[in-house]
Amino acid sequence: MKKNRAKKYGSLRRVLVAMRLSLLAFAVLVCLAVFGVLMIRRSLLKNAQETGNALARGYAEEARSNLTVYQTLLSYGTAFLQDRLNQGYSMESLCDSAQMYFDRVTGVLGEGVVSPFLLVGDEIMTVSGVSPTDIDPAYDPTQREWYRTAVEADGKVAFTGLYTDVITGEPAISVVQSFNGGDVILGFDIFTENFHFQADSLSLAHADSFFLCDASGALLYSRTGLNLGDDALQEYCNMLLEKITAGELDSYEATILDLEGQQRGVYYNRMENGWYSIITVPYCNILGDLRPFGSVLGLILAVSLVVLAVTVWREKKYHDRIDRADETVHVLGNSYYALYRVDFAQGCYEMIKSPAPVQEKLAPKGNYSALMQIAGEVIEPGAYAEFAKSFSLENIRRLVQNKVQDFGGDFRRRFGEEYRWVNVRVLFDETLAPEEVVICFREIGQEKQQEMEERRILKDALELAHRNETAKQAFFSSMSHDMRTPLNAIVGLSELAAQYSDADRLKDSLRKINNASRQLLSLINDILDMSRMEQGKVMLNNRDFDLRECLDDCLEAFRFQAQAQHKTLDVKLELEATRLLGDPERINQILNNLLSNAFKFTPEGGTVRLQVSQIAGGDFVKYKIVVADNGIGMSADFLPHLFEPYSREMRFAARQSVGTGLGMSITKNLVSQMNGELQVESEQGKGTTFTLVLPFLVSAMPLNRPESATPPETYRLEGRRILLAEDNEVNMEITTELLQMHDVEVVHAWTGKEAVEQFEKSEPFFFDAVLMDMQMPELDGCEAARQIRALPRPDAPVVPIIAVTANAFAEDIAATAAAGMNAHVSKPIDFALLCRTLGRLTADTDITADSAPTDLV
């Protein structure tokens, strides 16, 4: 009996021990589950904060971009009206010009988006869509917020806070700018009902909210599912801003209760002008998948007796998953021939994987300098210096500090006796190892390099899309610095011209603005040049020109750029015969491309040198043009590809520069067509030198021709009668004024249909020529030309019809010829070319008209 009791007692003890072990195992599992829930919650909240802040920055960036559009349009308007005042326009004419500008703004932004207005002294002269007589006579603009804002801004563009417009009674903000010594104020009223954001609607989940507030906290725009009135929403935003400014919402765990009692996370971005972009997300959206874990814990408590039985099974499944994960990591590791973990705090490495030759020389663990020394033995000598700088411990710490999680580039590494391309990456994840990074190396072939380039281009495009840039802004952001150079000159000289009272200085500024404008136009034509070059259709327009004037015109914009960027432009001109036969526009284009690249790749404080000298004399001369800089230079491997379209050298960097890559290809093609030579010498870190040799014929014309003199005219336009078909009011005014300067009588037609009707009802040979725009209402230019040619009258088949249009592609020119037009002049109009064309064609028409039967005339 004692044995049985002892046996029974031992069995019970074992049962108790088993139960205690089960309870202990259960407690451990519960603790692990709770810990897991807390970790998941922390991760979800941190990810939500990062995503929310990024989304708030995206909305803020779009709001800033929209304000930049209004600011740009306003600056253009003030410059336009100031120019009118400088020309002595009357107040009535100024108001007419302002109304024309308002119409152009409406055409750009759309009807009702903004309400422009003009104030002279303390009197509102014109308001878009509103007659000044409709404004309350007691209304004193000098007491309004927008007036005080404009005065305090002292000629700069300024934005007001939110206020109620006295005319419409609607909430609005104003963008204003004073000019003409502060006497005149031009502004836009921007109504908050017209605030729109192009951000992807999927960026905000159900019940998420977005608010845009001005610097004073006034609510400008909201997108929310909260069922609240305007006053309640404003009160809600005031509460949010109070907590934001107090720093109470900076933690990823910080929450608020909205006016419906719902717990929310708050994420925000403060713009440079003091506005706030605020995103609120319900906690149920952030932690929606976390609540089931509570039920799981309760279920575990209910089935505690089963936990021990299933532990072994779960452990086996767990180990199976670990094994599969290890296999997956092993497969991924096969993509890299070398993997190292680097502790940048301690300055040491741990070898995870490495080629056999390296393993023979390098210990599994050691000082990071030993790893860099081995790398120096196999990396191509020309690339190692940059590699050592990019992957030094100091640079790795900087990358980690700046939250750069993926950094790297391509270089060539020696494998045995040959060099092959390798990609190296530094990967960092602070949630796993805050003081460690992983450096991995893998081989890449030509196809893989192309894939990486395509991915980089796609990544850049996606980043632009996330910033919600408009199409126009995306266009300007993709343009190279070459386009900004003449644009800076135009803006700067326009501001200076507005301040000049001296006629000579004003004339000189206008001449420089015209030169910079033409330089800008030539850059826009680059893409057209590439298309024509591929088809062999680029023609040189050789004529008499002065090389010194050509060089001075080109250098004008770069002198402004050098001053603005704190760089030195060293110019040395040794010119003998300067009156030459050639194409000055193409020479200007070549020099612009070379100088633009020199400035682009020369750091602040650097020097760009231009030296021009004559190296052969007589009737046939040669000029050597040298453009040199002390910038970053180019690698020897890239130089053979420099003149290939779209080529761009890749460097170690977190972000590569982008651009079309057409400039040097166009330059090389133009030099070849001029029978010239173009050579380049470059060394990384020391700079680049382009040497250009161009041949010219010396012009027989006198060298010192007065600037006011013009070549002998072979045409006369006095007394001619022109039918001008144009639907744009500004273009109609400009063309009419310039034609009337030549004593030409101009008849207007605002649509293609009206042009046909005007011609049809006129007497035969009444019109000497027709200037036809291509894109007009009712009938386009080609159809209008066809209908004129088909009219049953003697002058219809012979009257000169000239296409005057911005459509300058080869297919557009072919379309105008097929429609029966005699010539094609592109916009912006070269009026000397237009007059020569009119003179030539109308002279031919005179012969035709004189020989026509008298019974038909």
Side-chain angles (χ1 to χ4, degrees):
M1 181 177 284
K2 288 183 180 180
K3 290 182 178 180
N4 290 336
R5 287 181 178 177
K7 185 176 180 180
K8 184 176 181 180
Y9 177 77
S11 176
L12 179 60
R13 185 173 60 182
R14 285 193 296 272
V15 170
L16 292 175
V17 171
M19 290 179 61
R20 289 174 181 173
L21 290 176
S22 298
L23 292 174
L24 180 61
F26 172 73
V28 171
L29 288 174
V30 170
C31 291
L32 290 175
V34 172
F35 178 77
V37 169
L38 294 177
M39 291 300 294
I40 293 173
R41 180 181 182 276
R42 176 178 180 271
S43 178
L44 290 174
L45 291 177
K46 293 192 72 174
N47 288 340
Q49 185 185 45
E50 294 176 359
T51 303
N53 287 339
L55 187 57
R57 286 193 300 271
Y59 279 109
E61 180 64 16
E62 183 172 358
R64 184 200 64 77
S65 300
N66 291 335
L67 294 181
T68 300
V69 170
Y70 298 137
Q71 182 176 356
T72 302
L73 289 174
L74 187 65
S75 297
Y76 167 80
T78 56
F80 171 71
L81 295 179
Q82 181 66 63
D83 182 63
R84 290 294 190 267
L85 288 172
N86 292 341
Q87 295 179 26
Y89 273 49
S90 66
M91 193 54 61
E92 181 179 358
S93 297
L94 181 67
C95 292
D96 292 340
S97 297
Q99 192 59 52
M100 179 177 64
Y101 164 72
F102 294 166
D103 293 340
R104 294 299 301 275
V105 170
T106 301
V108 172
L109 299 178
E111 189 70 29
V113 175
V114 300
S115 177
F117 61 89
L118 179 69
L119 179 77
V120 178
D122 59 355
E123 181 180 0
I124 294 181
M125 303 302 296
T126 181
V127 180
S128 178
V130 179
S131 172
T133 58
D134 295 337
I135 300 175
D136 186 354
Y139 174 75
D140 184 4
T142 63
Q143 301 303 314
R144 308 307 299 176
E145 179 184 356
W146 57 263
Y147 180 90
R148 294 191 297 271
T149 300
V151 171
E152 292 171 359
D154 192 22
K156 297 181 180 179
V157 177
F159 288 84
T160 69
L162 186 68
Y163 67 92
T164 301
D165 184 67
V166 297
I167 297 177
T168 64
E170 298 294 331
I173 64 172
S174 292
V175 52
V176 292
Q177 185 177 15
S178 65
F179 60 100
N180 200 40
D183 279 344
V184 186
I185 296 176
L186 180 65
F188 300 155
D189 288 337
I190 308 169
F191 299 104
T192 57
E193 64 181 13
N194 292 321
F195 275 42
H196 297 289
F197 289 83
Q198 300 299 321
D200 185 0
S201 59
L202 295 179
S203 297
L204 291 179
H206 176 68
D208 291 355
S209 297
F210 164 62
F211 304 101
L212 181 67
C213 300
D214 66 12
S216 66
L219 181 61
L220 302 175
Y221 176 84
S222 66
R223 182 186 296 174
T224 179
L226 295 175
N227 187 20
L228 301 172
D230 293 342
D231 292 339
L233 280 178
Q234 181 62 65
E235 182 181 353
Y236 179 54
C237 289
N238 291 341
M239 181 268 290
L240 291 176
L241 287 173
E242 181 179 350
K243 291 182 176 294
I244 287 173
T245 53
E248 298 177 13
L249 300 178
D250 291 346
S251 171
Y252 68 90
E253 294 183 309
T255 64
I256 56 99
L257 290 178
D258 63 24
L259 300 182
E260 295 179 350
Q262 190 176 29
Q263 191 177 18
R264 288 176 174 265
V266 180
Y267 316 104
Y268 66 94
N269 181 266
R270 188 176 187 272
M271 299 165 57
E272 293 180 357
N273 62 355
W275 289 14
Y276 280 88
S277 169
I278 305 173
I279 303 292
T280 68
V281 181
Y283 250 43
C284 61
N285 287 359
I286 301 174
L287 305 178
D289 296 331
L290 193 60
R291 294 180 179 177
F293 283 87
S295 301
V296 172
L297 289 177
L299 182 61
I300 293 175
L301 291 174
V303 296
S304 57
L305 295 179
V306 186
V307 171
L308 188 58
V310 300
T311 298
V312 175
W313 178 81
R314 291 184 62 188
E315 190 71 14
K316 183 178 181 302
K317 290 294 183 181
Y318 173 75
H319 283 293
D320 288 344
R321 288 195 298 271
I322 292 297
D323 291 340
R324 290 180 64 83
D326 288 341
E327 292 173 359
T328 303
V329 172
H330 180 71
V331 170
L332 292 175
N334 289 337
S335 299
Y336 298 92
Y337 69 82
L339 293 167
Y340 303 91
R341 294 188 68 159
V342 176
D343 187 330
F344 55 83
Q346 300 297 324
C348 58
Y349 74 89
E350 177 184 355
M351 181 190 302
I352 307 300
K353 182 181 180 181
S354 187
V358 175
Q359 293 182 18
E360 295 174 358
K361 300 179 180 181
L362 193 64
K365 295 183 179 180
N367 192 284
Y368 184 71
S369 60
L371 176 61
M372 294 297 288
Q373 181 179 354
I374 294 296
E377 296 176 2
V378 295
I379 293 177
E380 187 177 32
Y384 178 71
E386 190 171 357
F387 176 92
K389 179 180 178 181
S390 300
F391 298 96
S392 64
L393 289 175
E394 179 182 357
N395 195 52
I396 291 176
R397 294 188 188 102
R398 184 183 61 81
L399 293 172
V400 171
Q401 183 179 2
N402 293 334
K403 308 296 183 183
V404 178
Q405 297 181 332
D406 188 348
F407 173 86
D410 305 334
F411 65 93
R412 293 210 305 167
R413 179 198 189 277
R414 179 165 49 82
F415 290 87
E417 300 299 325
E418 65 172 338
Y419 281 93
R420 298 200 292 267
W421 280 101
V422 167
N423 175 263
V424 58
R425 312 303 303 173
V426 171
L427 307 178
F428 167 70
D429 187 344
E430 62 180 359
T431 62
L432 297 179
E435 294 185 348
E436 288 190 5
V437 296
V438 174
I439 300 181
C440 47
F441 301 81
R442 66 186 180 95
E443 291 189 58
I444 54 173
Q446 185 174 3
E447 294 180 359
K448 191 61 178 179
Q449 286 180 275
Q450 180 64 30
E451 179 182 348
M452 291 172 59
E453 176 66 12
E454 292 173 356
R455 288 182 178 179
R456 184 187 63 78
I457 294 174
L458 178 60
K459 180 180 178 181
D460 290 342
L462 288 174
E463 289 177 353
L464 292 176
H466 287 316
R467 290 198 300 267
N468 301 294
E469 293 286 354
T470 63
K472 180 178 179 181
Q473 291 164 332
F475 168 78
F476 281 115
S477 69
S478 68
M479 285 299 97
S480 69
H481 65 288
D482 298 344
M483 189 166 288
R484 291 192 295 271
T485 300
L487 202 56
N488 285 338
I490 293 170
V491 173
L493 287 167
S494 298
E495 293 176 352
L496 289 175
Q499 303 175 25
Y500 287 153
S501 59
D502 182 74
D504 291 337
R505 298 183 70 184
L506 180 60
K507 180 180 178 181
D508 183 64
S509 291
L510 293 175
R511 179 185 64 81
K512 293 175 181 177
I513 290 172
N514 182 266
N515 291 335
S517 301
R518 293 184 180 275
Q519 184 179 354
L520 182 60
L521 176 61
S522 69
L523 294 174
I524 295 174
N525 288 332
D526 270 0
I527 192 66
L528 298 178
D529 285 343
M530 281 303 299
S531 176
R532 293 170 185 155
M533 287 175 182
E534 291 173 358
Q535 302 176 36
K537 295 183 178 180
V538 171
M539 302 297 293
L540 297 177
N541 182 21
N542 291 325
R543 64 181 187 274
D544 171 74
F545 78 105
D546 188 280
L547 180 60
R548 185 180 299 276
E549 292 179 1
C550 178
L551 294 172
D552 287 341
D553 291 344
C554 179
L555 288 169
E556 197 66 48
F558 290 100
R559 290 191 174 98
F560 280 94
Q561 183 176 354
Q563 182 179 3
Q565 297 179 354
H566 306 291
K567 301 175 184 178
T568 300
L569 176 59
D570 183 10
V571 179
K572 184 177 183 181
L573 304 181
E574 299 174 354
L575 309 179
E576 298 178 23
T578 62
R579 182 63 63 177
L580 309 171
L581 290 177
D583 190 335
E585 281 77 20
R586 294 302 185 183
I587 295 172
N588 190 298
Q589 184 177 0
I590 291 171
L591 290 174
N592 181 79
N593 283 340
L594 296 178
L595 288 169
S596 294
N597 279 334
F599 273 90
K600 177 179 180 180
F601 298 110
T602 299
E604 182 173 324
T607 299
V608 176
R609 177 171 57 90
L610 172 65
Q611 182 175 358
V612 183
S613 58
Q614 183 175 324
I615 59 176
D619 294 336
F620 187 86
V621 302
K622 286 187 177 181
Y623 269 95
K624 182 172 74 171
I625 303 173
V626 178
V627 177
D629 65 73
N630 58 356
I632 64 174
M634 293 175 281
S635 67
D637 289 335
F638 178 70
L639 282 179
H641 306 284
L642 174 63
F643 300 113
E644 297 175 0
Y646 311 108
S647 63
R648 185 170 296 279
E649 184 171 21
M650 302 298 291
R651 295 291 182 86
F652 295 116
R655 179 181 179 184
Q656 302 290 344
S657 62
V658 298
T660 62
L662 298 178
M664 295 313 302
S665 178
I666 293 174
T667 299
K668 181 67 172 178
N669 192 292
L670 291 174
V671 172
S672 298
Q673 290 196 51
M674 294 179 180
N675 297 318
E677 300 175 8
L678 180 60
Q679 297 179 346
V680 58
E681 298 177 356
S682 185
E683 184 176 353
Q684 286 184 333
K686 294 187 178 181
T688 302
T689 299
F690 285 91
T691 302
L692 170 66
V693 177
L694 292 176
F696 297 100
L697 281 174
V698 176
S699 173
M701 301 185 66
L703 289 176
N704 297 319
R705 183 175 60 188
E707 184 176 342
S708 60
T710 58
E713 295 185 354
T714 59
Y715 59 85
R716 297 186 67 83
L717 299 180
E718 292 86 347
R720 297 294 187 185
R721 192 178 290 113
I722 304 296
L723 175 59
L724 176 58
E726 171 64 66
D727 67 323
N728 183 278
E729 185 176 351
V730 175
N731 290 340
M732 179 73 85
E733 178 185 355
I734 294 173
T735 308
T736 300
E737 288 287 338
L738 287 165
L739 288 173
Q740 289 177 347
M741 289 179 184
H742 289 80
D743 296 326
V744 175
E745 180 182 345
V746 181
V747 178
H748 295 164
W750 296 94
T751 68
K753 181 179 180 182
E754 185 180 350
V756 177
E757 293 173 348
Q758 290 271 25
F759 188 86
E760 185 175 15
K761 71 182 182 181
S762 67
E763 294 294 326
F765 295 100
F766 179 80
F767 289 111
D768 295 290
V770 179
L771 299 184
M772 184 75 71
D773 187 27
M774 289 297 96
Q775 296 182 354
M776 290 186 296
E778 300 188 58
L779 286 179
D780 62 34
C782 287
E783 182 59 30
R786 280 190 286 266
Q787 292 191 17
I788 290 176
R789 292 295 187 212
L791 291 174
R793 47 189 286 165
D795 58 343
V798 297
V799 63
I801 304 179
I802 303 174
V804 182
T805 175
N807 298 342
F809 289 100
E811 56 267 28
D812 299 316
I813 300 175
T816 60
M821 300 193 195
N822 302 83
H824 182 284
V825 177
S826 300
K827 295 179 180 177
I829 298 173
D830 183 339
F831 281 95
L833 173 61
L834 176 61
C835 290
R836 288 197 300 271
T837 304
L838 279 172
R840 173 175 55 83
L841 294 177
T842 54
D844 295 340
T845 307
D846 288 340
I847 298 174
T848 305
D850 292 340
S851 60
T854 57
D855 58 338
L856 296 177
V857 177

